[in-house]
Amino acid sequence: MSTVYASVVALVAVRATLAFLPAHILSSPPIAVLNALSTIVGCALILSAALYLFNTLRCKIGLRNFGKRRDGKALQPPPIPYAIPWIGNSPSFLSTKPHHFWSTLFEWYPRAVGACSIVLGGRMANVLFSPVAIQHVIQDRTLGREEFNIDVVVNGLGISKEECERFYGYNTPVKEGEHPPHHEQDKINVDYLLKAEKVNELTAEFIKILKERISDQFTDRSANHEIELYKWLRTLMFDASTISLLGSKVLEVCPDLEHLFFQFDQDMLSLFFGLPGWLVSKAVSNREKAVSQLANWHKVVRDQIGTKVPDPNGMSWEPLYGSRVNRARQIFYEKRGVSIRGRAALDLGMIFGISSNAIPATNWLLMYVLESARPERQKPGERSLYSFIMDEIKASQNENGTLNISILINQPILLSALHEVLRLYVDVLVGRTITQDMALALGAHSTSKSGAPSEPTQSIQLNSGTLLMVPSYPAHTNPDVWQSVYPHHPQPDVFYPYRFLTSSPHDTTTKPVFSTAHTTGSYFPFGGGKTMCPGRNFAKQEILGALAVVLLTFEFEFIGYVDAKGNTTDKFPGLRDTLPGSAVMAASGDFKLKVKRRD
Ligand code: HEM
């Protein structure tokens, strides 16, 4: 808005100055050009103001009619006003200030309406906040995310449209008895990424590598070891998850993959949203550096074993291509004729799924656990989160000291704290493509503990060809939902690790049980329906496994917080600037810690 005010003030100043100039100066070529330009800009500003007023009026009328119809007629969701055609709401929506769009929207737009529509780069998107409608959408297995997938692959990963079609096959007719390629991919994910025994294999490999990497760290007990938590954790987890999923060869061939990946990670969304080339040239060059390193890995492996990828149903892990799921993916790419560059870009996408979410989530969880252990945070007579969690981790050890993952991932306080991290720090825009006109009931959201939806009060009309967007932030922090069920819980914008427990662990009369029952349609960190994150089971085991290994191996002493530039600060790390939809948001600062081994 400040840019608009500045333009208006500048324009008025220019026009006022021109008004006082004598005719012979006005007719000189530079002043005549300035005169013409200011007229054009003035007209554009007047048109924009008129469009904004018109759109504001449309929105107000839409809001007035909303929820009042009793004839069951579905209405278009009220449009959020904008001033420039095509660009629409993009400037505000694509702000890198975390949650900017939603915070400013709910200053005037009633959340209870349950939906709105926005224009992004010439396309209309319907946005949902109503838990009833969200629940319907994320459970609807007929709704896909084809356009979002194409944007990820073509814009984000730089794969040609032709190769993207070969990979997904959305528009290619399928021969009798065959499945479209995207179904084959889903099957790979179900068979090798989601099944309990495969997730356990992956987790075991991840923990083994993590333990190897820390086995020789901080062994000199006489030295004073200091770390910045996220910097330290990031390398450890990146190496362990990349090797467990993609094999060890990839990091031998691409030793600076972590650095290149996290540069790409910061820019991925600006590529995904298709921002103009001149704005994203650095992002493109970072992506290409990472892709060309991954392409080298493919060439080295091919020189060694040719095009025959080891059988995914053979050994659980091997060094060249790693896990079963990766070998199955590589065989699928070979069959679909995906080029080496295309595969490398898709591998980068896979690393994005693995590393860009689980690592920051583990970091937030560790930060809160360690924060609670600081002597100045202790409350008399109250146990800390750290002490509860250490007890749960120790109770998940086998007799020989190894971790029993299936016990660990069922510990209620650990689960609650992890879900609270995902509630507060996941920022996803779950996208769906509307392929046929449909009406969607918004309903008044449920406030009952069972989460049962109440009677529908209004439906919205969704037209074929439009996009449907379900943002997690408004749902994950909706006070009507999160505070009405448990009014004694802190506000939803506060981290409260016991939010997903049926009773507080401080209450010694009842045993707390982990539950998400009351969160239907208001909590969906992994999306939902047929495209729900296939890495979710591994992600949970990876995060809790890493937390347990780190806390069982090391003792930490808090030194202080540092900001994004590494300077000491007295503030707990906030959110790093990012475009909306970055999934788990990264911290803008870090914890400085003293560390020593327990053994
Ligand atoms: C805390 C960690 C994670 C979060 C919050 C997360 C979140 C998400 C979300 C919201 C989606 C879109 C779902 C939808 O449209 O309904 C998604 C898709 C996906 N995720 Fe995750 N994810 C995480 C970890 C992982 C991991 C560890 C992997 C791989 C091992 C992974 C692989 C994928 C893949 C391949 C897709 C695309 C699925 C498709 O298009 O059908 N994710 N994830």
PDB file of all heavy atoms in Angstrom, residues 252-279:
ATOM      1  N   GLU A 252      29.205 -39.043  -2.214  1.00  0.00           N
ATOM      2  CA  GLU A 252      30.623 -39.149  -2.642  1.00  0.00           C
ATOM      3  C   GLU A 252      30.811 -38.341  -3.922  1.00  0.00           C
ATOM      4  O   GLU A 252      31.789 -37.625  -4.089  1.00  0.00           O
ATOM      5  CB  GLU A 252      30.997 -40.604  -2.927  1.00  0.00           C
ATOM      6  CG  GLU A 252      31.185 -41.448  -1.675  1.00  0.00           C
ATOM      7  CD  GLU A 252      31.241 -42.932  -2.024  1.00  0.00           C
ATOM      8  OE1 GLU A 252      31.672 -43.298  -3.139  1.00  0.00           O
ATOM      9  OE2 GLU A 252      30.808 -43.734  -1.161  1.00  0.00           O
ATOM     10  N   VAL A 253      29.855 -38.458  -4.842  1.00  0.00           N
ATOM     11  CA  VAL A 253      29.978 -37.746  -6.128  1.00  0.00           C
ATOM     12  C   VAL A 253      29.651 -36.251  -5.954  1.00  0.00           C
ATOM     13  O   VAL A 253      30.230 -35.400  -6.630  1.00  0.00           O
ATOM     14  CB  VAL A 253      29.041 -38.381  -7.198  1.00  0.00           C
ATOM     15  CG1 VAL A 253      29.156 -37.663  -8.529  1.00  0.00           C
ATOM     16  CG2 VAL A 253      29.342 -39.853  -7.373  1.00  0.00           C
ATOM     17  N   CYS A 254      28.732 -35.939  -5.072  1.00  0.00           N
ATOM     18  CA  CYS A 254      28.296 -34.537  -4.879  1.00  0.00           C
ATOM     19  C   CYS A 254      28.570 -34.106  -3.437  1.00  0.00           C
ATOM     20  O   CYS A 254      27.621 -34.031  -2.633  1.00  0.00           O
ATOM     21  CB  CYS A 254      26.809 -34.371  -5.157  1.00  0.00           C
ATOM     22  SG  CYS A 254      26.107 -35.380  -6.447  1.00  0.00           S
ATOM     23  N   PRO A 255      29.840 -33.832  -3.077  1.00  0.00           N
ATOM     24  CA  PRO A 255      30.126 -33.551  -1.664  1.00  0.00           C
ATOM     25  C   PRO A 255      29.470 -32.270  -1.148  1.00  0.00           C
ATOM     26  O   PRO A 255      29.224 -32.148   0.048  1.00  0.00           O
ATOM     27  CB  PRO A 255      31.653 -33.451  -1.614  1.00  0.00           C
ATOM     28  CG  PRO A 255      32.113 -33.360  -3.027  1.00  0.00           C
ATOM     29  CD  PRO A 255      31.028 -33.850  -3.928  1.00  0.00           C
ATOM     30  N   ASP A 256      29.198 -31.297  -2.043  1.00  0.00           N
ATOM     31  CA  ASP A 256      28.558 -30.076  -1.510  1.00  0.00           C
ATOM     32  C   ASP A 256      27.052 -30.026  -1.824  1.00  0.00           C
ATOM     33  O   ASP A 256      26.448 -28.957  -1.942  1.00  0.00           O
ATOM     34  CB  ASP A 256      29.281 -28.801  -1.968  1.00  0.00           C
ATOM     35  CG  ASP A 256      29.431 -28.736  -3.469  1.00  0.00           C
ATOM     36  OD1 ASP A 256      29.138 -29.773  -4.109  1.00  0.00           O
ATOM     37  OD2 ASP A 256      29.835 -27.684  -3.981  1.00  0.00           O
ATOM     38  N   LEU A 257      26.426 -31.214  -1.894  1.00  0.00           N
ATOM     39  CA  LEU A 257      24.995 -31.271  -2.199  1.00  0.00           C
ATOM     40  C   LEU A 257      24.151 -30.566  -1.121  1.00  0.00           C
ATOM     41  O   LEU A 257      23.181 -29.883  -1.443  1.00  0.00           O
ATOM     42  CB  LEU A 257      24.555 -32.735  -2.338  1.00  0.00           C
ATOM     43  CG  LEU A 257      23.137 -32.933  -2.867  1.00  0.00           C
ATOM     44  CD1 LEU A 257      22.989 -32.355  -4.270  1.00  0.00           C
ATOM     45  CD2 LEU A 257      22.751 -34.411  -2.896  1.00  0.00           C
ATOM     46  N   GLU A 258      24.561 -30.717   0.139  1.00  0.00           N
ATOM     47  CA  GLU A 258      23.767 -30.089   1.217  1.00  0.00           C
ATOM     48  C   GLU A 258      23.698 -28.571   0.994  1.00  0.00           C
ATOM     49  O   GLU A 258      22.621 -27.979   1.027  1.00  0.00           O
ATOM     50  CB  GLU A 258      24.401 -30.387   2.582  1.00  0.00           C
ATOM     51  CG  GLU A 258      23.633 -29.738   3.718  1.00  0.00           C
ATOM     52  CD  GLU A 258      24.451 -29.585   4.991  1.00  0.00           C
ATOM     53  OE1 GLU A 258      25.501 -30.224   5.139  1.00  0.00           O
ATOM     54  OE2 GLU A 258      24.025 -28.772   5.843  1.00  0.00           O
ATOM     55  N   HIS A 259      24.849 -27.979   0.752  1.00  0.00           N
ATOM     56  CA  HIS A 259      24.908 -26.533   0.560  1.00  0.00           C
ATOM     57  C   HIS A 259      24.060 -26.120  -0.658  1.00  0.00           C
ATOM     58  O   HIS A 259      23.231 -25.208  -0.583  1.00  0.00           O
ATOM     59  CB  HIS A 259      26.375 -26.137   0.385  1.00  0.00           C
ATOM     60  CG  HIS A 259      26.569 -24.733  -0.049  1.00  0.00           C
ATOM     61  ND1 HIS A 259      26.341 -23.683   0.803  1.00  0.00           N
ATOM     62  CD2 HIS A 259      26.935 -24.202  -1.243  1.00  0.00           C
ATOM     63  CE1 HIS A 259      26.565 -22.559   0.149  1.00  0.00           C
ATOM     64  NE2 HIS A 259      26.920 -22.845  -1.091  1.00  0.00           N
ATOM     65  N   LEU A 260      24.251 -26.851  -1.763  1.00  0.00           N
ATOM     66  CA  LEU A 260      23.501 -26.513  -2.992  1.00  0.00           C
ATOM     67  C   LEU A 260      22.006 -26.729  -2.784  1.00  0.00           C
ATOM     68  O   LEU A 260      21.183 -25.931  -3.224  1.00  0.00           O
ATOM     69  CB  LEU A 260      23.980 -27.376  -4.159  1.00  0.00           C
ATOM     70  CG  LEU A 260      25.393 -27.089  -4.663  1.00  0.00           C
ATOM     71  CD1 LEU A 260      25.804 -28.105  -5.713  1.00  0.00           C
ATOM     72  CD2 LEU A 260      25.467 -25.681  -5.235  1.00  0.00           C
ATOM     73  N   PHE A 261      21.659 -27.816  -2.068  1.00  0.00           N
ATOM     74  CA  PHE A 261      20.245 -28.093  -1.868  1.00  0.00           C
ATOM     75  C   PHE A 261      19.583 -26.971  -1.064  1.00  0.00           C
ATOM     76  O   PHE A 261      18.513 -26.482  -1.425  1.00  0.00           O
ATOM     77  CB  PHE A 261      20.014 -29.447  -1.164  1.00  0.00           C
ATOM     78  CG  PHE A 261      18.580 -29.578  -0.745  1.00  0.00           C
ATOM     79  CD1 PHE A 261      17.608 -29.832  -1.694  1.00  0.00           C
ATOM     80  CD2 PHE A 261      18.185 -29.331   0.559  1.00  0.00           C
ATOM     81  CE1 PHE A 261      16.261 -29.861  -1.347  1.00  0.00           C
ATOM     82  CE2 PHE A 261      16.848 -29.355   0.924  1.00  0.00           C
ATOM     83  CZ  PHE A 261      15.884 -29.624  -0.041  1.00  0.00           C
ATOM     84  N   PHE A 262      20.215 -26.548   0.040  1.00  0.00           N
ATOM     85  CA  PHE A 262      19.540 -25.544   0.875  1.00  0.00           C
ATOM     86  C   PHE A 262      19.496 -24.171   0.212  1.00  0.00           C
ATOM     87  O   PHE A 262      18.613 -23.373   0.528  1.00  0.00           O
ATOM     88  CB  PHE A 262      20.127 -25.530   2.295  1.00  0.00           C
ATOM     89  CG  PHE A 262      19.592 -26.681   3.112  1.00  0.00           C
ATOM     90  CD1 PHE A 262      20.357 -27.815   3.332  1.00  0.00           C
ATOM     91  CD2 PHE A 262      18.294 -26.667   3.596  1.00  0.00           C
ATOM     92  CE1 PHE A 262      19.850 -28.896   4.038  1.00  0.00           C
ATOM     93  CE2 PHE A 262      17.771 -27.744   4.297  1.00  0.00           C
ATOM     94  CZ  PHE A 262      18.548 -28.857   4.526  1.00  0.00           C
ATOM     95  N   GLN A 263      20.407 -23.927  -0.725  1.00  0.00           N
ATOM     96  CA  GLN A 263      20.267 -22.687  -1.518  1.00  0.00           C
ATOM     97  C   GLN A 263      19.030 -22.793  -2.401  1.00  0.00           C
ATOM     98  O   GLN A 263      18.233 -21.872  -2.501  1.00  0.00           O
ATOM     99  CB  GLN A 263      21.512 -22.505  -2.390  1.00  0.00           C
ATOM    100  CG  GLN A 263      22.619 -21.794  -1.641  1.00  0.00           C
ATOM    101  CD  GLN A 263      23.733 -21.375  -2.567  1.00  0.00           C
ATOM    102  OE1 GLN A 263      23.928 -21.991  -3.611  1.00  0.00           O
ATOM    103  NE2 GLN A 263      24.449 -20.352  -2.182  1.00  0.00           N
ATOM    104  N   PHE A 264      18.876 -23.939  -3.035  1.00  0.00           N
ATOM    105  CA  PHE A 264      17.709 -24.177  -3.894  1.00  0.00           C
ATOM    106  C   PHE A 264      16.421 -24.131  -3.055  1.00  0.00           C
ATOM    107  O   PHE A 264      15.414 -23.533  -3.456  1.00  0.00           O
ATOM    108  CB  PHE A 264      17.859 -25.542  -4.576  1.00  0.00           C
ATOM    109  CG  PHE A 264      16.573 -26.105  -5.120  1.00  0.00           C
ATOM    110  CD1 PHE A 264      16.019 -25.603  -6.285  1.00  0.00           C
ATOM    111  CD2 PHE A 264      15.901 -27.131  -4.459  1.00  0.00           C
ATOM    112  CE1 PHE A 264      14.818 -26.114  -6.784  1.00  0.00           C
ATOM    113  CE2 PHE A 264      14.709 -27.640  -4.943  1.00  0.00           C
ATOM    114  CZ  PHE A 264      14.162 -27.134  -6.108  1.00  0.00           C
ATOM    115  N   ASP A 265      16.490 -24.730  -1.869  1.00  0.00           N
ATOM    116  CA  ASP A 265      15.324 -24.822  -0.983  1.00  0.00           C
ATOM    117  C   ASP A 265      14.749 -23.429  -0.679  1.00  0.00           C
ATOM    118  O   ASP A 265      13.539 -23.237  -0.647  1.00  0.00           O
ATOM    119  CB  ASP A 265      15.787 -25.523   0.308  1.00  0.00           C
ATOM    120  CG  ASP A 265      14.666 -25.706   1.312  1.00  0.00           C
ATOM    121  OD1 ASP A 265      13.601 -26.168   0.899  1.00  0.00           O
ATOM    122  OD2 ASP A 265      14.861 -25.364   2.491  1.00  0.00           O
ATOM    123  N   GLN A 266      15.650 -22.453  -0.488  1.00  0.00           N
ATOM    124  CA  GLN A 266      15.183 -21.093  -0.177  1.00  0.00           C
ATOM    125  C   GLN A 266      14.434 -20.471  -1.351  1.00  0.00           C
ATOM    126  O   GLN A 266      13.620 -19.574  -1.167  1.00  0.00           O
ATOM    127  CB  GLN A 266      16.375 -20.202   0.159  1.00  0.00           C
ATOM    128  CG  GLN A 266      16.943 -20.496   1.514  1.00  0.00           C
ATOM    129  CD  GLN A 266      17.796 -19.356   2.042  1.00  0.00           C
ATOM    130  OE1 GLN A 266      17.725 -18.231   1.569  1.00  0.00           O
ATOM    131  NE2 GLN A 266      18.621 -19.650   3.015  1.00  0.00           N
ATOM    132  N   ASP A 267      14.766 -20.928  -2.572  1.00  0.00           N
ATOM    133  CA  ASP A 267      14.198 -20.299  -3.768  1.00  0.00           C
ATOM    134  C   ASP A 267      13.085 -21.101  -4.412  1.00  0.00           C
ATOM    135  O   ASP A 267      12.447 -20.636  -5.357  1.00  0.00           O
ATOM    136  CB  ASP A 267      15.288 -20.146  -4.850  1.00  0.00           C
ATOM    137  CG  ASP A 267      16.422 -19.264  -4.384  1.00  0.00           C
ATOM    138  OD1 ASP A 267      16.161 -18.327  -3.632  1.00  0.00           O
ATOM    139  OD2 ASP A 267      17.560 -19.531  -4.792  1.00  0.00           O
ATOM    140  N   MET A 268      12.877 -22.321  -3.958  1.00  0.00           N
ATOM    141  CA  MET A 268      11.973 -23.246  -4.652  1.00  0.00           C
ATOM    142  C   MET A 268      10.595 -22.614  -4.893  1.00  0.00           C
ATOM    143  O   MET A 268      10.017 -22.740  -5.970  1.00  0.00           O
ATOM    144  CB  MET A 268      11.867 -24.533  -3.813  1.00  0.00           C
ATOM    145  CG  MET A 268      10.729 -25.442  -4.157  1.00  0.00           C
ATOM    146  SD  MET A 268      10.887 -26.168  -5.794  1.00  0.00           S
ATOM    147  CE  MET A 268       9.414 -27.164  -5.897  1.00  0.00           C
ATOM    148  N   LEU A 269      10.070 -21.899  -3.866  1.00  0.00           N
ATOM    149  CA  LEU A 269       8.706 -21.383  -4.015  1.00  0.00           C
ATOM    150  C   LEU A 269       8.615 -20.261  -5.039  1.00  0.00           C
ATOM    151  O   LEU A 269       7.613 -20.127  -5.737  1.00  0.00           O
ATOM    152  CB  LEU A 269       8.171 -20.921  -2.670  1.00  0.00           C
ATOM    153  CG  LEU A 269       7.697 -22.066  -1.777  1.00  0.00           C
ATOM    154  CD1 LEU A 269       7.406 -21.567  -0.382  1.00  0.00           C
ATOM    155  CD2 LEU A 269       6.470 -22.742  -2.362  1.00  0.00           C
ATOM    156  N   SER A 270       9.673 -19.435  -5.137  1.00  0.00           N
ATOM    157  CA  SER A 270       9.596 -18.358  -6.134  1.00  0.00           C
ATOM    158  C   SER A 270       9.587 -18.968  -7.535  1.00  0.00           C
ATOM    159  O   SER A 270       8.966 -18.435  -8.455  1.00  0.00           O
ATOM    160  CB  SER A 270      10.735 -17.351  -5.962  1.00  0.00           C
ATOM    161  OG  SER A 270      11.960 -18.007  -5.974  1.00  0.00           O
ATOM    162  N   LEU A 271      10.252 -20.115  -7.695  1.00  0.00           N
ATOM    163  CA  LEU A 271      10.197 -20.811  -8.995  1.00  0.00           C
ATOM    164  C   LEU A 271       8.801 -21.412  -9.191  1.00  0.00           C
ATOM    165  O   LEU A 271       8.192 -21.261 -10.243  1.00  0.00           O
ATOM    166  CB  LEU A 271      11.247 -21.920  -9.039  1.00  0.00           C
ATOM    167  CG  LEU A 271      12.708 -21.474  -8.980  1.00  0.00           C
ATOM    168  CD1 LEU A 271      13.625 -22.652  -8.711  1.00  0.00           C
ATOM    169  CD2 LEU A 271      13.104 -20.799 -10.297  1.00  0.00           C
ATOM    170  N   PHE A 272       8.291 -22.074  -8.143  1.00  0.00           N
ATOM    171  CA  PHE A 272       6.986 -22.735  -8.227  1.00  0.00           C
ATOM    172  C   PHE A 272       5.889 -21.746  -8.622  1.00  0.00           C
ATOM    173  O   PHE A 272       5.038 -22.039  -9.454  1.00  0.00           O
ATOM    174  CB  PHE A 272       6.664 -23.379  -6.870  1.00  0.00           C
ATOM    175  CG  PHE A 272       5.233 -23.801  -6.714  1.00  0.00           C
ATOM    176  CD1 PHE A 272       4.780 -24.971  -7.303  1.00  0.00           C
ATOM    177  CD2 PHE A 272       4.328 -23.031  -5.985  1.00  0.00           C
ATOM    178  CE1 PHE A 272       3.452 -25.364  -7.177  1.00  0.00           C
ATOM    179  CE2 PHE A 272       3.006 -23.423  -5.851  1.00  0.00           C
ATOM    180  CZ  PHE A 272       2.569 -24.595  -6.452  1.00  0.00           C
ATOM    181  N   PHE A 273       5.918 -20.536  -8.014  1.00  0.00           N
ATOM    182  CA  PHE A 273       4.860 -19.566  -8.310  1.00  0.00           C
ATOM    183  C   PHE A 273       5.052 -18.916  -9.686  1.00  0.00           C
ATOM    184  O   PHE A 273       4.264 -18.062 -10.074  1.00  0.00           O
ATOM    185  CB  PHE A 273       4.793 -18.485  -7.228  1.00  0.00           C
ATOM    186  CG  PHE A 273       4.088 -18.954  -5.972  1.00  0.00           C
ATOM    187  CD1 PHE A 273       4.761 -19.062  -4.773  1.00  0.00           C
ATOM    188  CD2 PHE A 273       2.749 -19.298  -6.008  1.00  0.00           C
ATOM    189  CE1 PHE A 273       4.113 -19.499  -3.620  1.00  0.00           C
ATOM    190  CE2 PHE A 273       2.083 -19.741  -4.862  1.00  0.00           C
ATOM    191  CZ  PHE A 273       2.773 -19.842  -3.670  1.00  0.00           C
ATOM    192  N   GLY A 274       6.105 -19.299 -10.389  1.00  0.00           N
ATOM    193  CA  GLY A 274       6.312 -18.799 -11.755  1.00  0.00           C
ATOM    194  C   GLY A 274       6.594 -17.305 -11.796  1.00  0.00           C
ATOM    195  O   GLY A 274       6.131 -16.609 -12.707  1.00  0.00           O
ATOM    196  N   LEU A 275       7.363 -16.788 -10.810  1.00  0.00           N
ATOM    197  CA  LEU A 275       7.707 -15.364 -10.825  1.00  0.00           C
ATOM    198  C   LEU A 275       8.540 -15.072 -12.080  1.00  0.00           C
ATOM    199  O   LEU A 275       9.223 -15.962 -12.603  1.00  0.00           O
ATOM    200  CB  LEU A 275       8.478 -14.989  -9.555  1.00  0.00           C
ATOM    201  CG  LEU A 275       7.697 -15.120  -8.239  1.00  0.00           C
ATOM    202  CD1 LEU A 275       8.512 -14.619  -7.058  1.00  0.00           C
ATOM    203  CD2 LEU A 275       6.381 -14.354  -8.286  1.00  0.00           C
ATOM    204  N   PRO A 276       8.509 -13.817 -12.586  1.00  0.00           N
ATOM    205  CA  PRO A 276       9.213 -13.523 -13.832  1.00  0.00           C
ATOM    206  C   PRO A 276      10.705 -13.869 -13.783  1.00  0.00           C
ATOM    207  O   PRO A 276      11.337 -13.774 -12.722  1.00  0.00           O
ATOM    208  CB  PRO A 276       9.025 -12.005 -13.996  1.00  0.00           C
ATOM    209  CG  PRO A 276       8.178 -11.546 -12.873  1.00  0.00           C
ATOM    210  CD  PRO A 276       7.838 -12.680 -11.991  1.00  0.00           C
ATOM    211  N   GLY A 277      11.247 -14.250 -14.941  1.00  0.00           N
ATOM    212  CA  GLY A 277      12.622 -14.731 -15.058  1.00  0.00           C
ATOM    213  C   GLY A 277      13.651 -13.820 -14.399  1.00  0.00           C
ATOM    214  O   GLY A 277      14.559 -14.294 -13.708  1.00  0.00           O
ATOM    215  N   TRP A 278      13.512 -12.481 -14.605  1.00  0.00           N
ATOM    216  CA  TRP A 278      14.531 -11.573 -14.067  1.00  0.00           C
ATOM    217  C   TRP A 278      14.540 -11.565 -12.539  1.00  0.00           C
ATOM    218  O   TRP A 278      15.525 -11.227 -11.901  1.00  0.00           O
ATOM    219  CB  TRP A 278      14.360 -10.149 -14.621  1.00  0.00           C
ATOM    220  CG  TRP A 278      12.983  -9.556 -14.392  1.00  0.00           C
ATOM    221  CD1 TRP A 278      11.899  -9.689 -15.194  1.00  0.00           C
ATOM    222  CD2 TRP A 278      12.544  -8.765 -13.276  1.00  0.00           C
ATOM    223  NE1 TRP A 278      10.808  -9.038 -14.663  1.00  0.00           N
ATOM    224  CE2 TRP A 278      11.180  -8.449 -13.487  1.00  0.00           C
ATOM    225  CE3 TRP A 278      13.162  -8.282 -12.117  1.00  0.00           C
ATOM    226  CZ2 TRP A 278      10.432  -7.687 -12.604  1.00  0.00           C
ATOM    227  CZ3 TRP A 278      12.410  -7.517 -11.231  1.00  0.00           C
ATOM    228  CH2 TRP A 278      11.076  -7.224 -11.483  1.00  0.00           C
ATOM    229  N   LEU A 279      13.420 -11.981 -11.932  1.00  0.00           N
ATOM    230  CA  LEU A 279      13.366 -12.016 -10.460  1.00  0.00           C
ATOM    231  C   LEU A 279      13.962 -13.311  -9.911  1.00  0.00           C
ATOM    232  O   LEU A 279      14.366 -13.360  -8.753  1.00  0.00           O
ATOM    233  CB  LEU A 279      11.908 -11.934  -9.995  1.00  0.00           C
ATOM    234  CG  LEU A 279      11.315 -10.563  -9.741  1.00  0.00           C
ATOM    235  CD1 LEU A 279       9.880 -10.713  -9.229  1.00  0.00           C
ATOM    236  CD2 LEU A 279      12.122  -9.802  -8.697  1.00  0.00           C
TER     237      LEU A 279
END
